[in-house]
Amino acid sequence: MASARIYALPIAAMAAIVLASNVAVQYPVFAEIGGLQLADLLTFGAFTYPFAFLVTDLTNRRYGPRVARRVVYAGFAAAVVCSLVVPPVLYDLGLLGFSTTADRLFRIAVASGCAFLMAQLLDVAVFNRLRQDSWWRAPAASSLSGSVLDTVTFFSLAFAPLFVFLGANDGFALESAPLLGVFSLEAPRWVSWAIGDFTVKLAIAVFALIPYRVIMQRFMPYRPQPA
């Protein structure tokens, strides 16, 4: 019973973030900043997914790396399932204006699952190594390193031609376009998407230090657990 109470809240929070991110990622951010069309770079999922690192870090700080890793495994399962199920459901409900082929769904699910698992496990390892340093160092370093790995892994597996064996390429993602939509240098669209996504991850990682600090001080005294 005690074990169930330990896992219930972080797993529920992680699952909610993963589900919300898989819904939000279907919708571009229609806004403009200084000539930069955000819809060409970002979806709303970029603003929700980074909070998965906050859940992992708080779990790690409160219960230790072993529990945090198990929460990550639950999030990994949710990420794969949501990647396969959410887009068709939204399309059937009339909430999405396009359908995704089965092979693209499979490739996105593989990319999402691999990126989530690798990035979150790296987050756990880095946080645990730095947990005795200044309060902000462990969550900042772990979220940064996890965000780098997550971005590189997901966008490479999902869009780079090298990984076509995972599923069909996305022709639109592979089209050359001005980098970030504003520079003269051209690159495949997915490269600009990756840069935009990573930029938001960094901003959220900084912002998330505020709720991390508040929750850590008020509700989560550290109780070390076996690694």
Side-chain angles (χ1 to χ4, degrees):
M1 185 64 68
S3 178
R5 288 198 298 268
I6 288 174
Y7 289 104
L9 182 57
I11 287 180
M14 185 68 80
I17 290 171
V18 169
L19 176 59
S21 298
N22 274 272
V23 173
V25 77
Q26 310 300 325
Y27 303 100
V29 178
F30 289 104
E32 181 179 348
I33 298 179
L36 185 65
Q37 298 292 335
L38 296 185
D40 294 335
L41 301 174
L42 295 173
T43 68
F44 285 100
F47 296 89
T48 56
Y49 172 75
F51 286 99
F53 292 107
L54 176 62
V55 173
T56 301
D57 291 344
L58 287 172
T59 304
N60 199 344
R61 201 235 175 222
R62 178 66 173 83
Y63 297 112
R66 184 172 64 180
V67 173
R69 283 193 291 268
R70 291 176 178 174
V71 172
V72 167
Y73 298 145
F76 164 74
V80 173
V81 172
C82 288
S83 296
L84 291 170
V85 173
V86 168
V89 169
L90 291 178
Y91 179 75
D92 290 342
L93 292 175
L95 300 176
L96 198 60
F98 58 90
S99 61
T100 306
T101 61
D103 54 349
R104 282 299 300 164
L105 279 177
F106 176 79
R107 184 169 175 178
I108 293 297
V110 171
S112 179
C114 288
F116 181 93
L117 186 62
M118 294 169 62
Q120 294 293 329
L121 289 179
L122 177 62
D123 181 284
V124 172
V126 172
F127 185 99
N128 199 49
R129 185 174 183 84
L130 299 177
R131 68 187 319 132
Q132 301 301 331
D133 290 354
S134 301
W135 71 266
W136 58 270
R137 193 180 301 274
S142 60
S143 296
L144 173 60
S145 57
S147 295
V148 171
L149 184 57
D150 181 87
T151 303
V152 171
T153 301
F154 175 78
F155 283 94
S156 296
L157 293 181
F159 301 109
L162 177 64
F163 298 99
V164 67
F165 62 89
L166 294 175
N169 284 324
D170 183 329
F172 182 72
L174 296 179
E175 289 179 359
S176 291
L179 188 65
L180 300 179
V182 294
F183 294 104
S184 58
L185 176 66
E186 292 201 346
R189 294 182 189 275
W190 69 267
V191 174
S192 293
W193 299 346
I195 294 172
D197 183 81
F198 180 66
T199 301
V200 173
K201 284 190 177 82
L202 289 183
I204 298 296
V206 174
F207 170 80
L209 290 174
I210 299 173
Y212 174 86
R213 178 65 166 175
V214 172
I215 295 172
M216 181 188 75
Q217 286 187 318
R218 296 189 178 184
F219 305 109
M220 289 192 167
Y222 173 51
R223 295 180 183 177
Q225 299 289 325

